[in-house]
């Protein structure tokens, strides 16, 4: 008798889905455009079942699909939905459909919470608000606008000259003939740019006296409330943070850098004629991802989001506002390791115990099914391959100079 079932997902998948719905009900999501919930329900084969593990990611790319398959995860929780619109076909020629088909073949399901996480109290919007209202070790760094260095670019030619000179000095006791050895052709290749860098995946470690979240006195309100979801009063999109005392913009820059994984840089827009170190911020409008739809019309000194278009940022600075963007998914990714991993692990342990008991009581189990429901293990991990498409390339040593932001 075949143990392969085509009419239901694995018991562990059921536990993951119920856990996510407990934490972030789909009713909280923006129903006008979003596609949340169980997007891929893979059939369960207890003979070759997956591990009782969940892989958290922002984007379900081919690299992340490979990772889930290699790890033998049971469920991928992908913040961004890999399916937004209906399919007329499913083929391997489409890269996203290819990932879906491969995961289904391996028995791996996909769940997407997206804007339900944005709106939930203690969710993504509150996590970003906690960062801007955090506090760094006292005294907070007195950051300032950096000025371009005047040093000339390093070249391979210069490095080789140094090597030849040190070799010559080290061989003063050798015969003169030994000093005359052939030299390699010299290249004047300038090493001016770093490799692309990305924020760290690791959560903020407050035990190491780093950023202390939500420790600066402030009030906080929801910009676009969501009502009617029992047990989730205070839900909604975006947060408006108002400090009891104005905060230097430079301090907010430092807090954000620490809070989202210390990226090498991120875009900052300020009104022309102002200096970064002179700007004081009384209130901040916060929204993850593409924040314009939430932040438009918000009266705040600073707009903090994942991305704004050129014209949206320009309109804000013309009104006297400042803007910080992080590249879209960098405003979301740190939440997975800092908040969601721990929350989901705690709830999933409860839900898996409940589902295991229900399955054991409801049917006569084959040995393979018995092994599946006896497995008490629960593991939630963040993807090591998930990242924003954009990295930051650092101009290290070049004659090129930028115009200071002012």
């Amino acid at each position: 008798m075949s143990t392969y079932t085509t009419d239901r997902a694995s018991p562990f998948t059921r536990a993951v889905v119920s856990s996510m719905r407990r934490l972030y009900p789909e009713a909280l999501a923006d129903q006008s455009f979003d596609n949340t919930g169980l997007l891929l329900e893979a059939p369960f084969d207890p003979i070759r079942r997956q591990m009782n593990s969940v892989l958290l990611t922002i984007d379900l790319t081919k690299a992340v699909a490979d990772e889930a398959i290699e790890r033998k995860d049971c469920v991928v929780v992908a913040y961004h939905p890999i399916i937004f619109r209906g399919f007329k076909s499913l083929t391997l020629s489409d890269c996203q459909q290819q990932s879906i088909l491969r995961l289904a073949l391996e028995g791996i399901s996909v769940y997407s919470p997206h804007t339900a996480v944005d709106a939930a109290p203690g969710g993504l919007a509150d996590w970003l608000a906690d960062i801007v209202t955090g506090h760094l070790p006292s005294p907070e760094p007195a950051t300032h606008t950096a000025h371009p260095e005047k040093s000339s670019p390093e070249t391979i030619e210069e490095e080789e000259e140094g090597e030849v000179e040190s070799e010559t000095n080290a061989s003063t006791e050798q015969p003169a003939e030994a000093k005359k050895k052939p030299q390699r052709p010299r290249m004047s290749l300038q090493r001016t740019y770093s490799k692309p860098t990305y924020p760290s995946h690791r959560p903020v470690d407050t035990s190491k006296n780093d950023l202390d979240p939500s420790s600066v006195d402030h009030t906080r309100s929801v910009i676009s409330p969501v009502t009617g979801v029992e047990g989730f009063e205070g839900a909604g999109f975006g947060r408006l943070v108002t400090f009891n005392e104005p905060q230097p913009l430079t301090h907010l820059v430092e807090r954000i850098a620490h809070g989202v994984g210390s990226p090498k840089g991120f875009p900052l827009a300020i009104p022309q004629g102002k200096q970064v170190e002179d700007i004081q911020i009384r209130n901040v409008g916060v929204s993850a991802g593409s924040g314009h739809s939430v932040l438009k019309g918000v009266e705040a000194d600073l707009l903090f989001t994942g991305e704004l278009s050129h014209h949206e940022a320009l309109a804000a600075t013309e009104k006297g506002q400042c803007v910080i963007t992080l590249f879209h998914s960098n405003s979301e990714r740190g939440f997975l390791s800092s908040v969601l991993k721990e929350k989901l692990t705690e709830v999933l342990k409860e839900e898996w115990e409940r589902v295991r008991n229900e399955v054991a009581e409801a049917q006569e189990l084959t040995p393979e099914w018995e092994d599946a429901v006896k497995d008490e293990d629960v593991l939630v991990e963040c993807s090591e391959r998930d990242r924003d498409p954009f990295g930051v390339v650092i101009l290290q040593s070049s004659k090129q100079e930028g115009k200071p932001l002012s």
Side-chain angles (χ1 to χ4, degrees):
M1 185 178 96
S2 172
T3 62
Y4 187 76
T5 61
T6 57
D7 61 342
R8 53 187 160 173
S10 73
F12 189 75
T13 298
R14 288 166 48 193
V16 173
V17 171
S18 59
S19 298
M20 289 300 298
R21 287 173 174 164
R22 275 180 59 182
L23 290 168
Y24 309 106
E26 291 160 42
L28 293 177
D30 188 341
Q31 306 296 333
S32 67
F33 79 96
D34 209 355
N35 187 34
T36 59
L38 184 60
L39 303 189
L40 173 63
E41 187 175 26
F44 178 51
D45 182 357
I47 289 182
R48 63 181 192 97
R49 67 185 178 90
Q50 307 303 105
M51 304 290 290
N52 287 351
S53 58
V54 182
L55 187 65
L56 305 180
T57 185
I58 294 296
D59 294 304
L60 181 44
T61 59
K62 289 191 292 183
V64 173
D66 288 341
E67 184 181 13
I69 292 169
E70 292 166 11
R71 288 167 42 89
K72 298 186 181 301
D73 291 308
C74 182
V75 182
V76 175
V77 173
Y79 170 79
H80 286 144
I82 192 171
I83 302 172
F84 255 118
R85 301 171 185 84
F87 292 141
K88 291 188 176 181
S89 63
L90 280 170
T91 69
L92 296 173
S93 61
D94 181 284
C95 61
Q96 287 189 319
Q97 294 175 15
Q98 182 186 113
S99 293
I100 293 170
L101 291 168
R102 292 176 60 225
L103 291 171
L105 180 64
E106 297 291 335
I108 302 173
S109 299
V110 177
Y111 187 91
S112 174
H114 202 201
T115 53
V117 176
D118 296 1
L124 189 45
D126 278 317
W127 176 70
L128 291 173
D130 288 345
I131 289 173
V132 296
T133 58
H135 196 277
L136 288 166
S138 183
E140 288 198 274
T143 52
H144 58 84
T145 305
H147 296 286
E149 295 183 3
K150 300 300 182 181
S151 60
S152 59
E154 296 177 359
T155 65
I156 294 178
E157 179 180 353
E158 291 170 345
E159 291 177 4
E160 290 183 348
E161 285 178 354
E163 292 172 2
V164 172
E165 183 179 351
S166 60
E167 289 172 358
T168 303
N169 292 338
S171 59
T172 53
E173 297 180 1
Q174 298 178 9
E177 301 84 49
K179 300 178 184 178
K180 297 179 181 180
K181 60 181 181 179
Q183 296 183 7
R184 292 172 292 169
R186 296 179 179 178
M187 298 180 293
S188 295
L189 175 63
Q190 291 186 353
R191 294 180 175 175
T192 58
Y193 294 95
S194 71
K195 294 180 180 179
T197 62
Y198 305 88
S200 169
H201 290 207
R202 294 187 300 273
V204 174
D205 187 355
T206 55
S207 67
K208 293 183 178 179
N209 199 30
D210 206 327
L211 181 71
D212 183 12
S214 193
S215 57
V216 176
D217 291 338
H218 70 283
T219 58
R220 187 182 305 187
S221 59
V222 174
I223 293 174
S224 180
V226 173
T227 59
V229 183
E230 186 177 354
F232 287 82
E233 293 75 18
F237 300 103
R239 299 293 184 267
L240 180 62
V241 168
T242 301
F243 294 107
N244 291 12
E245 299 292 336
Q247 303 290 300
L249 176 58
T250 54
H251 286 190
L252 299 189
V253 169
E254 291 280 352
R255 294 171 193 171
I256 290 168
H258 280 70
V260 301
S262 297
K264 290 292 186 180
F266 47 77
L268 167 65
I270 64 174
Q272 289 194 31
K274 291 191 175 182
Q275 299 289 335
V276 176
E277 54 267 31
D278 297 333
I279 296 175
Q280 298 285 316
I281 302 296
R282 169 70 77 172
N283 40 41
V284 185
V286 176
S287 178
S290 298
H292 177 67
S293 61
V294 174
L295 298 176
K296 62 182 178 183
V298 171
E299 296 298 328
D301 299 327
L302 172 65
L303 304 181
F304 173 37
T305 185
E307 64 181 355
L308 289 182
S309 73
H310 167 84
H311 294 290
E312 291 159 0
L314 185 62
T317 57
E318 288 291 279
K319 289 169 55 180
Q321 295 175 306
C322 301
V323 178
I324 290 178
T325 61
L326 298 175
F327 300 123
H328 186 112
S329 66
N330 289 345
S331 65
E332 303 156 341
R333 187 163 289 101
F335 178 81
L336 302 183
S337 57
S338 297
V339 180
L340 181 55
K341 178 180 175 179
E342 182 178 348
K343 278 190 172 183
L344 180 57
T345 299
E346 181 179 351
V347 174
L348 182 53
K349 287 179 180 178
E350 298 174 4
E351 288 296 306
W352 180 223
E353 179 68 19
R354 178 185 63 79
V355 170
R356 289 170 57 227
N357 291 334
E358 286 181 357
V359 172
E361 294 170 1
Q363 64 189 74
E364 184 177 343
L365 302 178
T366 64
E368 293 82 12
W369 272 86
E370 285 186 3
D371 287 342
V373 298
K374 284 181 179 178
D375 187 349
E376 300 179 0
D377 290 344
V378 169
L379 180 64
V380 179
E381 294 290 353
C382 296
S383 169
E384 293 292 330
R385 302 180 192 176
D386 177 40
R387 62 170 176 79
D388 195 87
F390 290 102
V392 176
V393 178
I394 307 298
L395 184 64
Q396 293 177 319
S397 184
S398 172
K399 293 180 180 179
Q400 299 294 324
E401 296 181 4
K403 181 179 179 181
L405 187 64
S406 62

